[in-house]
């Protein structure tokens, strides 16, 4: 899935000359936690988070903060090293950016202009949907040999039972000769399909409570 499918196109922004008070007011009104800062050419030159603002104007003592502090321009506290993405980036790739840079949001830029924004929550929600974890389902983990065609062989067992596969994840085993297939299937009772998989000789890792046969 590409970023364009999940980004918010309506982005609230301010300029470097706007004040801390204006940023706080906008965040509270729109219930947002990040504000891209744009110059006169609509280029992203910084970003401000609610945490940045609270370091200057703590909410608990906001009324007692001096006018000078409230009217500080955003240029003095905004993060100028802004990491950005592109609408055609893959969601899987930008998730790595969130992890590497420990950021809460990613401005999306096309031809040097801001076109959207993606938050860490947007990415998490997307992965939940891609994995099918938001639907009534069961998860099955199977250890198979790391050879071409194994995924097709295993899915044939599901097809024979007319079981709908909601998602498939593949990750390496500790032994490079094997890999782990993680299926999320559209049934709340996977007992029959697990029995079929075991009859075909597949090593079902989960569910297999305490190693007992299902």
């Amino acid at each position: 899935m590409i970023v364009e499918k999940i980004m918010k196109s309506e982005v609230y922004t301010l300029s470097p000359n706007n004040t801390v008070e204006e940023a706080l007011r906008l965040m509270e009104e729109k219930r947002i936690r990040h504000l891209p800062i744009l110059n006169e050419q609509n280029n992203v030159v910084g970003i401000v988070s609610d945490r940045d603002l609270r370091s200057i104007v703590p909410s608990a003592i906001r009324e007692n903060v001096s006018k000078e502090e409230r009217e500080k321009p955003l240029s003095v506290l905004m993060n100028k090293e802004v990491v950005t993405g592109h609408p055609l980036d893959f969601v899987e790739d930008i998730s790595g950016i969130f992890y590497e840079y420990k950021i809460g949001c990613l401005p999306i830029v096309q031809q040097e202009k801001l076109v959207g924004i993606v938050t860490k929550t947007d990415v998490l929600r997307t992965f939940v949907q891609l994995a099918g974890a938001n639907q009534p389902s069961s998860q099955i983990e199977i250890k198979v040999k790391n050879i071409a065609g194994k995924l097709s062989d295993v899915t044939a067992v599901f097809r024979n039972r007319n079981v709908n596969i909601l998602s498939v994840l593949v990750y390496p085993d500790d032994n490079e000769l094997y890999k782990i297939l993680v299926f999320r299937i559209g049934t709340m009772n996977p007992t029959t399909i697990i029995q079929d998989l075991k009859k075909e000789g597949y090593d079902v890792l989960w569910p297999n409570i305490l190693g007992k046969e299902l």
Side-chain angles (χ1 to χ4, degrees):
M1 181 180 289
I2 60 174
V3 169
E4 188 176 48
K5 298 293 185 181
I6 71 166
M7 71 182 190
K8 296 180 178 69
S9 299
E10 183 180 5
V11 188
Y12 300 103
T13 66
L14 291 175
S15 77
N17 296 325
N18 284 112
T19 67
V20 167
E21 182 66 28
E22 289 171 324
L24 280 169
R25 193 179 304 120
L26 181 59
M27 284 188 174
E28 291 172 355
E29 178 185 343
K30 303 301 181 182
R31 297 184 179 180
I32 55 178
R33 298 179 61 187
H34 303 88
L35 282 171
I37 308 302
L38 308 185
N39 62 15
E40 294 179 354
Q41 291 74 42
N42 289 324
N43 304 130
V44 180
V45 294
I47 194 160
V48 172
S49 71
D50 59 343
R51 182 178 299 179
D52 298 327
L53 299 176
R54 300 302 180 193
S55 67
I56 295 179
V57 184
S59 57
I61 58 172
R62 183 170 173 179
E63 297 304 322
N64 297 324
V65 176
S66 68
K67 181 178 179 181
E68 181 182 357
E69 292 293 311
R70 291 166 178 260
E71 293 186 351
K72 277 187 176 180
L74 297 178
S75 57
V76 303
L77 77 151
M78 68 185 189
N79 181 1
K80 298 177 182 179
E81 297 180 4
V82 186
V83 183
T84 62
H86 188 275
L88 298 183
D89 287 339
F90 288 106
V91 173
E92 296 90 338
D93 294 333
I94 69 164
S95 66
I97 295 176
F98 276 90
Y99 178 79
E100 179 180 355
Y101 291 95
K102 296 179 175 60
I103 55 178
C105 80
L106 189 70
I108 307 302
V109 174
Q110 187 171 26
Q111 297 179 350
E112 300 184 355
K113 305 299 181 184
L114 183 70
V115 295
I117 193 169
V118 174
T119 68
K120 186 163 55 177
T121 301
D122 296 328
V123 173
L124 180 59
R125 183 188 304 112
T126 299
F127 275 113
V128 169
Q129 293 171 344
L130 289 175
N134 59 331
Q135 303 179 49
S137 58
S138 299
Q139 182 166 304
I140 298 177
E141 296 186 14
I142 306 166
K143 182 176 180 178
V144 299
K145 290 184 178 179
N146 189 14
I147 57 177
K150 268 301 172 183
L151 178 59
S152 176
D153 293 341
V154 176
T155 56
V157 179
F158 292 93
R159 183 177 63 248
N160 292 339
R161 279 287 179 181
N162 198 30
V163 172
N164 188 30
I165 298 174
L166 303 179
S167 68
V168 183
L169 298 176
V170 182
Y171 62 91
D173 184 60
D174 294 336
N175 184 338
E176 64 181 14
L177 298 178
Y178 295 87
K179 58 186 175 183
I180 309 299
L181 305 181
V182 182
F183 293 90
R184 187 165 289 276
I185 57 176
T187 176
M188 297 299 291
N189 184 1
T191 302
T192 303
I193 191 68
I194 290 172
Q195 291 172 345
D196 289 351
L197 288 165
K198 290 184 174 181
K199 286 178 183 178
E200 293 294 327
Y202 293 113
D203 185 3
V204 179
L205 303 180
W206 177 265
N208 195 8
I209 305 302
L210 299 178
K212 295 179 180 179
E213 294 292 331
L214 295 177

